[in-house]
Amino acid sequence: MKVHDKKLLVWGTIVCLLISGGITYALYQNGAKYWREQASATFRQALELELQKRDTVLVFHRESMGYSTFSLDEPSPGPIKIIDELGEREYMISEEKFDHSLVKEGLKRSILSILLEDYPLIPDTLNKMWDSLLVSTDIPVKTRTRVSVTDFQERTSVAHSENISGLLSADSLLSYYLGERCEVEATGFISYGWYEAFSGWGYLAICLPWIIFAFLFFSREKIMFILEKWFIKHKIITVKTIVPVIAVKAEESHIYQLEEGVFFDTEEKVLKDARLTKKLAPQVAYLLKLFLESEGYRLSTGKIDEALWPDGSGTQDRIYTVIRRLRKSLDGITHLVVDYENDVYQLKSSAVDEIAKDSVM
């Protein structure tokens, strides 16, 4: 592989890595954000469904109370006084707990305290309900739940759903508080792998830069050939005249004078003038000699194919490659150019002055 091709491969790989990395990060962030939103919504829904099992009429019956009791605009209830066999005690509900209380209205919070004391929340049951809701929304995350209860002596007991070890790597969602003192806290956790954020279209988007680069890299010569044909066909020539090459060779000589001070040695396979000498590849030198010896300095693609690859191994890509190398060799040392039209290549001069008609040395 040529040095130029190696550089192209390296830089193309770097660009593809950057683009694919950016797409991966964007898809992951977008997927993770959507999952968290859906998981938060379904966790609250699962909690409501679990509470409905305890008292669907007094607490969560829609016909009787609707959703107005979930408003966050109600003020904090302030100190709450509890009187039992141990005497009278006062409890303060923090703003944070009250803001995230599932029910705001005082009577219903008191009813929830009674219900949850007799029928406490079971983390495994709540987690199964949450999982079933997530399955219906096609969200591929793993869930964990935690329920903690604070008694009148401010002692807290905590229970987790199964597979508690997963909590170490899970992300915590919003906690909800229940009861008159917000003494019951229900918290949901989710965990997921980064690869789970991608659908089939996501994987295609990540692979697309590599597919495009591979196609362009392995088809580069054919693409350059097509582009150069189109450019030559449509380009505007700004020189005043296009003068045919006039090169005369004596029978015994192997050196052509292409223009004043510029010579082509067919044996040494070099182009040279007073300041520069260019060594030509054998195939390029042979092609230049064919042009100089052909009528009107014209060669069809078929003639080039037959002359350079008599074994029939020639292709359009090979013809284009050797033409491109000849153009590169002529550039910078002579006014000669290789033009293309109607499947015929012609060696011409773009100089305004006539080519020197002197023979050769």
Side-chain angles (χ1 to χ4, degrees):
M1 184 180 292
K2 299 179 182 178
V3 175
H4 174 75
D5 293 338
K6 289 182 179 179
K7 289 182 179 179
L8 180 62
L9 184 60
V10 170
W11 281 107
T13 302
I14 293 173
V15 171
C16 286
L17 284 173
L18 292 175
I19 295 176
S20 296
I23 293 174
T24 301
Y25 178 78
L27 289 175
Y28 175 75
Q29 291 297 320
N30 184 66
K33 179 181 178 181
Y34 174 73
W35 289 351
R36 290 180 64 84
E37 291 174 352
Q38 292 298 312
S40 296
T42 51
F43 180 66
R44 174 167 180 153
Q45 186 180 358
L47 190 55
E48 291 176 1
L49 292 173
E50 279 299 305
L51 294 177
Q52 285 178 9
K53 295 178 181 178
R54 289 154 176 78
D55 193 343
T56 58
V57 177
L58 292 177
V59 181
F60 283 93
H61 196 277
R62 295 189 179 185
E63 284 77 13
S64 63
M65 61 170 283
Y67 284 101
S68 60
T69 56
F70 292 94
S71 170
L72 298 181
D73 296 332
E74 297 186 23
S76 177
I80 294 178
K81 292 184 179 180
I82 302 293
I83 300 176
D84 59 9
E85 66 275 5
L86 298 177
E88 180 178 323
R89 287 181 302 283
E90 186 175 274
Y91 298 91
M92 291 294 299
I93 300 178
S94 67
E95 292 288 343
E96 179 183 357
K97 285 186 175 182
F98 189 75
D99 286 344
H100 295 100
S101 177
L102 197 62
V103 178
K104 296 292 192 297
E105 199 271 324
L107 176 61
K108 293 183 175 62
R109 287 192 293 108
S110 299
I111 294 174
L112 273 179
S113 290
I114 297 171
L115 290 174
L116 292 175
E117 185 175 358
D118 294 335
Y119 305 98
L121 287 174
I122 307 300
D124 285 331
T125 304
L126 177 59
N127 196 63
K128 289 179 181 178
M129 177 68 73
W130 189 19
D131 276 340
S132 66
L133 294 174
L134 285 174
V135 168
S136 65
T137 57
D138 197 27
I139 305 298
V141 297
K142 297 178 182 178
T143 62
R144 308 286 186 273
T145 56
R146 181 184 66 198
V147 176
S148 60
V149 181
T150 304
D151 62 17
F152 292 116
Q153 283 74 44
E154 302 294 336
R155 294 173 302 190
T156 301
S157 59
V158 180
H160 297 273
S161 59
E162 294 179 355
N163 300 325
I164 185 174
S165 60
L167 288 172
L168 298 177
S169 60
D171 292 328
S172 173
L173 296 170
L174 184 66
S175 295
Y176 291 100
Y177 296 88
L178 308 164
E180 186 177 14
R181 298 177 290 115
C182 295
E183 67 273 14
V184 179
E185 176 187 358
T187 304
F189 300 83
I190 61 172
S191 60
Y192 45 84
W194 65 268
Y195 54 88
E196 295 174 317
F198 312 126
S199 62
W201 288 107
Y203 287 111
L204 177 61
I206 294 171
C207 296
L208 189 59
W210 296 96
I211 296 173
I212 294 174
F213 172 67
F215 171 76
L216 294 176
F217 182 79
F218 291 108
S219 305
R220 61 192 183 280
E221 291 192 357
K222 181 172 290 187
I223 293 172
M224 289 298 298
F225 175 73
I226 295 173
L227 290 177
E228 185 159 334
K229 282 181 62 176
W230 182 91
F231 177 74
I232 293 174
K233 184 176 180 181
H234 293 84
K235 73 177 181 178
I236 299 175
I237 301 175
T238 57
V239 297
K240 294 181 180 179
T241 58
I242 298 297
V243 184
V245 175
I246 300 177
V248 182
K249 189 187 85 165
E251 292 183 1
E252 72 279 7
S253 177
H254 58 269
I255 299 178
Y256 287 84
Q257 181 176 333
L258 303 182
E259 57 187 69
E260 186 176 355
V262 180
F263 302 94
F264 170 48
D265 188 327
T266 60
E267 287 190 357
E268 295 295 329
K269 299 180 180 58
V270 295
L271 280 171
K272 56 185 176 181
D273 61 8
R275 58 183 179 81
L276 182 64
T277 298
K278 282 190 175 183
K279 181 69 174 179
L280 306 184
Q283 202 172 47
V284 174
Y286 182 52
L287 178 60
L288 178 55
K289 182 180 178 182
L290 285 177
F291 271 117
L292 295 173
E293 294 178 347
S294 63
E295 183 178 355
Y297 313 107
R298 296 172 179 267
L299 290 173
S300 66
T301 55
K303 182 67 175 178
I304 296 174
D305 185 11
E306 181 182 348
L308 297 184
W309 296 280
D311 59 353
S313 62
T315 63
Q316 286 292 335
D317 286 345
R318 285 189 169 186
I319 294 173
Y320 167 73
T321 299
V322 73
I323 290 291
R324 177 168 55 84
R325 290 175 178 172
L326 175 57
R327 286 172 175 156
K328 186 175 181 181
S329 298
L330 296 173
D331 185 39
I333 194 171
T334 175
H335 293 97
L336 296 183
V337 296
V338 180
D339 204 354
Y340 178 86
E341 185 175 359
N342 298 328
D343 204 36
V344 174
Y345 289 95
Q346 182 179 16
L347 192 65
K348 294 182 177 181
S349 174
S350 59
V352 177
D353 296 333
E354 291 284 337
I355 300 296
K357 294 183 180 180
D358 293 334
S359 175
V360 283
M361 303 167 57

